[in-house]
Amino acid sequence: MKMGLKRVFLALEVPDEIRQDIECFKERLNTGEAMIKWVEPENLHINLRFFGEISEEEIKKIEECSKQIADSQKPFELSIEGLGFFPNNISPRVLWLGCTSKELLKLRFDLEQLFEEAGLGKEKKEYKPHITLGRIKSKKEVRTLSKEVCKKSETRLGTFHADRITIFESRLSFKGPEYIKIAEFKLGG
């Protein structure tokens, strides 16, 4: 990483009770012999935008935009439902739980518009709200996991009250990523 830059993303935090439900769900998943690097419970989140390595000046712009949008949007309910892979079932690399909410999509749309206006660029990928459960480390032995994901693709894990957005710095190490809060903004001010 270049000097003075931070690896940054904006996200909704997952409450502790949902984290516990996710951990129980992962324990019940029949993964067979698939090699999965599970996301640590404290790192579970719903990504709103990954910015990559950016400067302090860009972080300030993100803070300004995030505050403006957070102030204008009320807290909302979010459903955790659906189970799948990125990019697809044939060549799985990421195992995820889906998230649904019209308000989440509006929040994301409004943020993206403001980020683009502020000169922070436009997200190129289509937004698929999700919580990353783990990363598939080897394509060997994923057949059992693929069958399990197909069986549980309609999984419903519950809902939670989303009431804030958080800017995180992601520090990578051999132990895995560490997420440090830079700023958080309550929805509705």
Side-chain angles (χ1 to χ4, degrees), residues 2-185:
K2 295 179 187 169
M3 288 290 291
L5 299 182
K6 292 181 178 178
R7 192 169 189 264
V8 173
F9 65 94
L10 178 68
L12 292 173
E13 291 186 77
V14 176
D16 289 340
E17 62 273 9
I18 297 292
R19 290 174 201 253
Q20 290 168 0
D21 292 345
I22 290 171
E23 288 307 297
C24 290
F25 176 75
K26 286 186 339 192
E27 288 170 13
R28 292 190 315 267
L29 262 181
N30 180 4
T31 59
E33 299 296 314
M35 293 176 60
I36 302 169
K37 169 68 172 111
W38 295 107
V39 173
E40 295 297 325
E42 65 272 14
N43 287 347
L44 294 170
H45 64 276
I46 300 164
N47 199 26
L48 293 168
R49 172 85 180 264
F50 178 74
F51 294 96
E53 294 179 4
I54 59 172
S55 67
E56 287 294 333
E57 183 182 314
E58 291 168 305
I59 292 170
K60 292 288 178 228
K61 286 182 184 180
I62 295 165
E63 288 176 357
E64 291 165 11
C65 293
S66 298
K67 180 173 179 8
Q68 183 178 335
I69 296 300
D71 286 348
S72 72
Q73 182 152 347
K74 293 182 173 118
F76 57 90
E77 294 300 308
L78 183 76
S79 296
I80 308 299
E81 54 187 67
L83 182 67
F85 292 117
F86 288 138
N88 55 48
N89 291 0
I90 297 162
S91 185
R93 287 198 300 263
V94 173
L95 177 63
W96 54 260
L97 279 167
C99 307
T100 60
S101 164
K102 288 178 187 168
E103 294 86 356
L104 171 59
L105 295 177
K106 180 185 181 331
L107 172 66
R108 175 60 163 49
F109 179 82
D110 291 349
L111 284 164
E112 278 302 314
Q113 280 199 307
L114 212 51
F115 291 150
E116 191 173 5
E117 288 170 19
L120 293 164
K122 184 178 174 92
E123 179 64 58
K124 292 167 183 69
K125 292 185 205 169
E126 180 186 346
Y127 185 58
K128 172 80 173 152
H130 68 281
I131 299 169
T132 297
L133 297 179
R135 289 175 171 63
I136 315 300
K137 291 297 173 188
S138 169
K139 292 188 178 151
K140 293 179 189 173
E141 307 299 332
V142 294
R143 188 171 297 142
T144 301
L145 178 60
S146 290
K147 287 178 184 173
E148 182 77 348
V149 168
C150 282
K151 278 195 287 188
K152 296 191 174 180
S153 65
E154 301 297 317
T155 293
R156 293 191 194 304
L157 229 59
T159 62
F160 74 88
H161 188 70
D163 65 354
R164 66 191 67 233
I165 57 177
T166 306
I167 302 170
F168 288 97
E169 176 185 359
S170 173
R171 292 185 186 162
L172 302 178
S173 75
F174 67 93
K175 294 180 196 172
E178 177 188 7
Y179 300 155
I180 297 108
K181 278 186 194 181
I182 294 174
E184 72 178 14
F185 304 96

